[in-house]
Amino acid sequence: MCVLASGSGGNCTAIVVKRGMVRRVVLIDLGLSPRKTFRMLAGLPGGGVRPDQIDDALVTHLDSDHFRLEWLRMLPSHTRLRMHARHARQIGLTDRGGAGGGAGGVRVFEDSFELGDGVVVRPLLMSHDEAGVATFRIDMPGAGGGSLGFCTDLGHVTDELVEHLTVDGGVDVLAIESNYCPRMQLASPRPEFLKRRIMGGSGHLSNQQALEAVRRVSPREHVVLLHLSRECNDPALVAEMHGGGRKGGGAEFALTIAEQFHPPRWVSLARSARPLTRLPVVVREKQAMLF
């Protein structure tokens, strides 16, 4: 998995599933322009990703930094666009998948579905503004396949979500938003209505809420922190809160902080058969703040 971009300027994550010589690519969220997304995919280390390799695109919700309508005409014809039924109704889409394997079209979900090659996606709709946001648990096939929990733009973390991510052995990798520092949010020049929306339980997770979620879910291998506010957060502060990847009992997980402009390293979704060696946490100098 590689987070191409994460933040209010646009969100997109690429997952590459390798089966022999075949590479299947899944995108989560389409919040960047198609041209920029294709360019960033082509530049990824390891040979890059071509548009014809994108089999599926999963949409968490319809905020413009997570889904752009122009993708409806720019996705490769074979690519399946998958979104929750509630979001599809919002923009007048219905399930219109083609017949046979590999056919594209819109695929509407409410329950679990399979992407192919045994990759299973289990969605859970969570609170975010009026229409909610889809979180995903993605289970890879095979003994070493691993499991990913992907949660962004949450109003709050519920017991149901924690159970969703911890049953059946839990997840190996947890990607979860750590949007804002409450102190910086309250001190910011943002209008009061926006602060209430973000902090009111249907907006975003604070650093403290994200930290508590990580502790409760306790992923085995890796934590990826998403959607840090460039105005109301500080990556160095977030890294310090997570101890650079250390959790209780002496065990460790790798920690990656996703960025808006610089894709971080690839994150393996394969379950490790050996003790994890923690990768260093790289925190770039804070960039110019944008809303």
Side-chain angles (χ1 to χ4, degrees), residues 132-144:
V133 60
T135 62
F136 301 115
R137 174 173 174 154
I138 303 177
D139 294 307
M140 308 296 172

Side-chain angles (χ1 to χ4, degrees), residues 16 116-117 145 158-159 201 219 221 239 257:
V16 176
D117 285 334
T158 64
D159 291 342
E221 301 275 352
I257 298 178

Side-chain angles (χ1 to χ4, degrees), residues 11-273:
N11 296 268
C12 185
T13 295
I15 296 174
V16 176
V17 181
K18 297 180 181 178
R19 289 297 234 180
M21 298 298 293
V22 178
R23 302 173 82 207
R24 296 185 181 276
V25 180
V26 180
L27 300 183
I28 302 180
D29 281 336
L30 300 168
L32 303 174
S33 72
R35 178 178 296 181
K36 182 174 183 179
T37 302
F38 293 147
R39 184 174 70 249
M40 294 182 75
L41 288 171
L44 288 174
V49 170
R50 305 187 309 269
D52 64 275
Q53 293 175 307
I54 304 171
D55 286 338
D56 294 273
L58 315 182
V59 177
T60 60
H61 61 304
L62 297 180
D63 286 358
S64 60
D65 58 331
H66 291 264
F67 179 66
R68 295 190 179 197
L69 287 172
E70 62 189 293
W71 277 103
L72 292 175
R73 55 182 174 79
M74 293 298 293
L75 274 175
S77 60
H78 73 283
T79 304
R80 297 172 289 261
L81 176 64
R82 300 183 184 269
M83 65 175 61
H84 194 277
R86 182 182 295 184
H87 301 141
R89 288 193 297 269
Q90 243 187 317
I91 54 176
L93 293 179
T94 58
D95 194 303
R96 56 173 191 269
V106 177
R107 306 297 175 92
V108 173
F109 63 79
E110 289 184 275
D111 301 312
S112 299
F113 55 91
E114 187 172 328
L115 297 180
D117 285 334
V119 179
V120 176
V121 180
R122 292 189 261 177
L124 180 65
L125 196 66
M126 295 291 295
S127 172
H128 181 70
D129 293 335
E130 294 181 4
V133 60
T135 62
F136 301 115
R137 174 173 174 154
I138 303 177
D139 294 307
M140 308 296 172
S147 182
L148 164 70
F150 193 95
C151 314
T152 187
D153 291 53
L154 305 179
H156 57 283
V157 175
T158 64
D159 291 342
E160 184 183 17
L161 178 62
V162 172
E163 182 179 3
H164 187 67
L165 298 174
T166 54
V167 297
D168 300 332
V171 295
D172 298 282
V173 178
L174 176 64
I176 189 167
E177 77 161 340
S178 185
N179 182 253
Y180 67 93
C181 164
R183 178 184 56 79
M184 295 175 68
Q185 184 77 248
L186 291 171
S188 75
R190 290 176 165 182
E192 289 302 316
F193 80 87
L194 181 57
K195 295 178 184 179
R196 288 194 299 270
R197 171 189 171 260
I198 292 171
M199 304 175 70
S202 295
H204 292 276
L205 291 186
S206 70
N207 294 337
Q208 289 80 359
Q209 289 172 311
L211 179 61
E212 178 61 21
V214 170
R215 286 173 174 165
R216 294 181 68 187
V217 174
S218 191
R220 282 181 291 272
E221 301 275 352
H222 211 122
V223 171
V224 181
L225 298 176
L226 306 169
H227 219 303
L228 272 70
S229 169
R230 284 171 282 155
E231 185 177 23
C232 297
N233 214 341
D234 183 342
L237 169 66
V238 174
E240 183 179 4
M241 289 179 64
H242 288 263
R246 181 174 296 278
K247 63 180 180 180
E252 295 183 340
F253 55 81
L255 179 67
T256 293
I257 298 178
E259 300 183 49
Q260 185 68 81
F261 301 110
H262 303 280
R265 56 186 172 236
W266 283 101
V267 173
S268 174
L269 301 181
R271 186 164 301 167
S272 176

